[in-house]
Amino acid sequence: MLILVTNDDGIHSPGLQALAGSLGDLGRVVVVAPDRERSAVSHSLTLHAPLRAEEVAPGHFAVDGTPTDCVNLGLHGLLAERPALVVSGINRGGNMGDDITYSGTVAAAMEATLMGVPAIAVSLEAAAFTYEDFLPAAAVAAELATAMLTHRLPADTLLNVNVPAGPSRGVRLTRQGKRRYGDLVVEKVDPRGRKYYWIGAGGAGFVDQPGTDFHAVHHGFVSVTPLHLDLTNYRSFAALSAWNFSGWSQDSGLGTIEPGAL
Ligand code: MN
């Protein structure tokens, strides 16, 4: 059985090495990962430049592209067979709540899901990120991968896994939480007297609601959030179709929702 491993922190990340090591017990692991740090590139795809893949070690390909490029290139070019699973991570830092939309780690799993391959994204929410710090999360990833291969994921679903530092208190099935955003742009002046700005200089915390990814990890549990790529807000259909707006076509609205989606 073939498992494709990727990440967004780059092929030299200890998180990726710990993950590839633990998944090696389940099957043959091939790594296709960015050749450098590509965090927060989200689901970007390189369409207007060539991509190079260098086999830096047997079965380890470093690509000068994004995590999404790596999955795409892995599935359609580098791998001789279709993998049974794509696992992305282990990311240096959590990918929870609204931060998921920026995440290259999660986007790699999204790309695999779009290609019909079961996928997990794994992130470690911790203060230290040595190889040893990633080992408990790597063990959790291998356990979840085994469960996924046994039970099969529902269609169009990927698992976003966030692991707290150290030994965890168990695993919780969670929903996506809410981050609080503050004044995150820092304005400074460079040595030539010109202003510059730095985004994301400090996290503003999160809404501590039970049932969410943040809440589980904050309380020492591994968080497993099933995600899908349908961004439609079905709950808004009733409110929008009630607008006094003459432009709505007769056949738009709730009638277009697939049965069972609500
Ligand atoms: Mn990252």
Side-chain angles (χ1 to χ4, degrees):
M1 188 184 66
L2 185 63
I3 302 171
L4 172 58
V5 171
T6 190
N7 74 349
D8 76 356
D9 295 336
I11 196 159
H12 301 296
S13 161
L16 179 136
Q17 286 156 16
L19 181 62
S22 70
L23 294 174
D25 297 336
L26 309 184
R28 191 161 65 84
V29 169
V30 173
V31 172
V32 183
D35 62 358
R36 71 201 77 171
E37 163 86 42
R38 299 304 297 256
S39 291
V41 297
S42 188
H43 201 181
S44 69
L45 187 63
T46 303
L47 291 178
H48 303 291
L51 289 169
R52 314 258 180 211
E54 191 189 346
E55 193 166 11
V56 292
H60 283 58
F61 296 89
V63 176
D64 59 348
T66 66
T68 297
D69 292 333
C70 290
V71 171
N72 210 291
L73 200 57
L75 294 181
H76 297 133
L78 296 173
L79 302 187
E81 59 182 283
R82 199 171 161 81
L85 191 65
V86 171
V87 188
S88 178
I90 300 166
N91 191 59
R92 186 188 163 92
N95 277 305
M96 297 180 276
D98 309 289
D99 290 348
I100 291 171
T101 59
Y102 302 108
S103 171
T105 307
V106 175
M110 287 180 174
E111 186 70 1
T113 306
L114 290 177
M115 307 288 152
V117 179
I120 319 179
V122 188
S123 305
L124 175 64
E125 175 72 10
F129 299 100
T130 65
Y131 178 80
E132 285 70 29
D133 293 320
F134 282 108
L135 289 176
V140 169
E143 271 181 55
L144 281 168
T146 306
M148 256 172 83
L149 291 166
T150 310
H151 297 283
R152 302 270 160 211
L153 278 176
D156 303 321
T157 305
L158 63 103
L159 299 184
N160 182 38
V161 180
N162 283 277
V163 182
S168 70
R169 295 168 62 194
V171 183
R172 277 186 182 165
L173 201 53
T174 62
R175 62 191 161 86
Q176 187 181 337
K178 271 291 199 206
R179 177 169 285 293
R180 267 196 206 99
Y181 291 92
D183 300 325
L184 298 181
V185 175
V186 172
E187 183 185 299
K188 298 258 185 193
V189 178
D190 74 16
R192 300 214 160 96
R194 295 170 61 217
K195 276 185 195 167
Y196 68 90
Y197 301 90
W198 207 284
I199 290 176
F206 55 89
V207 183
D208 195 21
Q209 277 178 326
T212 63
D213 43 15
F214 283 119
H215 188 272
V217 170
H218 186 60
H219 290 87
F221 290 88
V222 174
S223 161
V224 176
T225 311
L227 299 179
H228 62 173
L229 286 103
D230 179 355
L231 300 180
T232 313
N233 183 354
Y234 291 101
R235 283 177 300 179
S236 74
F237 270 61
L240 288 168
S241 56
W243 283 6
N244 184 18
F245 172 54
S246 59
W248 293 142
S249 153
Q250 288 297 313
D251 57 1
S252 73
L254 282 166
T256 67
I257 297 177
E258 226 178 281
L262 283 171

